[in-house]
Amino acid sequence: MISFNAEQRFIVTGASSGIGEGVALLLNELGASVIAVARNVERLSAMKAKAKHPENIFIEPKDLAEDIENLPNYVKSLKEKYGKFQGLAYCAGIGGIRPLRAVEKETIQEIFDINYFAPVFMAKGFADKRNNNGKGSSIVILASAGGVRGEPGMTEYSGSKGALIASMQSIARELAPSYIRVNCVSPTLIQTQMADEIARTYAEGKYPMGLGEVSDVANMVIYLLAEQSHWITAQNYIVDCGVI
Amino acid sequence: MNRQEFLTQMQDVLQTDEELSYETALDDLAEWDSLAVMATMAFLDKEFGVKTTMKDYKEMLTIADIAQKAGL
């Protein structure tokens, strides 16, 4: 049985909606303290209002796409405010389908900023041993099945997630001697706000078990953050009911 | 960068809570491993334009030896 205590602090990014919200709420329900990071303070407050132990949810409004190189200092400032961290669940991300003919360097950059650069620099901040609890600390990054299998219109998104998965494997092996684990979870389309109409239409009929739900992904993330997965690192888990 | 700033920066390069001084022996630091050496190489290159090799670090004993490479 997975459980945490309030002294185990987890940074959850993208915590105001979708999978990030699901991870934040489940961590909190299981006893952990959650530092909830997202852009929109109202939506973060709405998430906190749903929490089982709202006193253990700490809201930190922040746009991770801004001043990305300084994210390690941002993690440090959170550590100084709350204490060392047990885990990081990076669930912030943007999607978007864009056919190759519409791809521009700028549009690639925009996707890579939040889907690739920000998680790498958040991991850099978390991995600084002055900021984490050492042995047993865990990073889980939300990647995507699109990172291992490109579909039409996903040049930018798949590129960002594929790069992310590859870099996280490298980071995992770099941190393994310190017993700090790094894993990716890669869902396909999940019923969230990010799954817009185009995506739903595209996915219709493709999923033998129906579209996935937030809890399907959140449970995997929680397992990888918890002590129960202490021998698992450098992996990318695809959560897709066998589609890809 | 003055000598005090150099120490502060080395604190970050080595990601150590231990108070560093110029006399700190590198071998006494748990953080002084091959990754720390590579991070130091990148730091000297970026901040001082000084290129070093792994071999250089075999002869270094203290923080002062690293500072000397940086010209401080």
Side-chain angles (χ1 to χ4, degrees):
Chain A
M1 184 69 184
I2 292 173
S3 68
F4 302 98
N5 63 63
E7 286 305 303
Q8 291 178 302
R9 286 170 285 271
F10 292 83
I11 301 173
V12 180
T13 71
S16 64
S17 65
I19 294 166
E21 177 183 32
V23 169
L25 290 174
L26 189 49
L27 271 173
N28 176 258
E29 188 183 330
L30 296 170
S33 288
V34 173
I35 290 54
V37 179
R39 278 172 299 182
N40 190 311
V41 69
E42 285 82 27
R43 283 185 8 208
L44 280 171
S45 303
M47 180 277 290
K48 181 172 174 166
K50 293 183 214 165
K52 192 166 179 193
H53 308 292
E55 70 279 11
N56 293 336
I57 299 245
F58 303 91
I59 284 176
E60 287 288 340
K62 163 93 178 159
D63 183 352
L64 294 167
E66 268 174 19
D67 205 11
I68 290 170
E69 260 190 286
N70 246 323
L71 287 175
N73 284 328
Y74 172 65
V75 175
K76 187 182 172 196
S77 71
L78 292 178
K79 191 278 304 254
E80 280 158 6
K81 192 166 168 185
Y82 298 105
K84 288 187 174 187
F85 298 107
Q86 181 71 20
L88 164 68
Y90 189 95
C91 308
I94 49 173
I97 295 175
R98 189 185 295 272
L100 182 58
R101 72 192 69 174
V103 169
E104 311 274 353
K105 181 151 184 295
E106 254 175 46
T107 59
I108 297 178
Q109 184 69 52
E110 197 184 320
I111 298 249
F112 266 68
D113 274 352
I114 194 74
N115 286 5
Y116 178 79
F117 289 105
V120 167
F121 282 89
M122 284 298 285
K124 180 177 172 180
F126 182 90
D128 185 327
K129 67 161 103 174
R130 294 168 294 180
N131 295 335
N132 63 58
N133 287 341
K135 186 174 180 179
S137 303
S138 172
I139 298 175
V140 178
I141 304 283
L142 246 291
S144 166
V148 290
R149 183 187 157 100
E151 297 286 353
M154 303 294 257
T155 305
E156 302 160 336
Y157 184 78
S158 286
S160 69
K161 295 296 191 178
L164 183 61
I165 293 163
S167 288
M168 287 304 148
Q169 192 174 69
S170 168
I171 292 170
R173 294 192 171 129
E174 198 169 313
L175 299 181
S178 311
Y179 292 84
I180 296 171
R181 302 179 297 108
V182 185
N183 292 286
C184 290
V185 173
S186 285
T188 43
L189 197 64
I190 299 294
Q191 298 191 47
T192 65
Q193 280 182 347
M194 214 172 106
D196 60 19
E197 210 183 322
I198 303 174
R200 280 169 189 262
T201 311
Y202 179 75
E204 210 164 65
K206 275 195 167 181
Y207 291 79
M209 299 181 189
L211 279 188
E213 307 216 355
V214 165
S215 61
D216 296 322
V217 185
N219 278 306
M220 179 57 112
V221 173
I222 299 293
Y223 171 65
L224 292 170
L225 289 173
E227 200 273 328
Q228 279 79 354
S229 60
H230 67 95
W231 210 53
I232 297 176
T233 195
Q235 303 304 308
N236 173 40
Y237 288 98
I238 292 168
V239 178
D240 74 334
C241 78
V243 167
I244 73 159
Chain B
M1 192 181 297
N2 65 34
R3 281 171 66 86
Q4 188 50 48
E5 285 162 351
F6 180 81
L7 279 185
T8 311
Q9 294 268 316
M10 280 307 293
Q11 202 93 33
D12 282 339
V13 171
L14 301 179
Q15 299 187 343
T16 178
D17 281 323
E18 221 163 297
E19 190 86 14
L20 296 178
S21 74
Y22 277 88
E23 290 73 42
T24 303
L26 298 170
D27 283 344
D28 289 348
L29 293 168
E31 291 82 5
W32 187 246
D33 58 11
S34 59
L35 291 174
V37 170
M38 284 185 270
T40 306
M41 289 167 83
F43 167 66
L44 291 184
D45 187 10
K46 183 178 171 227
E47 297 295 333
F48 302 95
V50 173
K51 309 267 186 215
T52 49
T53 63
M54 293 296 271
K55 218 177 104 199
D56 295 327
Y57 292 85
K58 291 211 171 79
E59 292 152 15
M60 293 186 195
L61 301 174
T62 63
I63 298 287
D65 294 332
I66 300 174
Q68 197 181 18
K69 278 276 174 202
L72 287 172

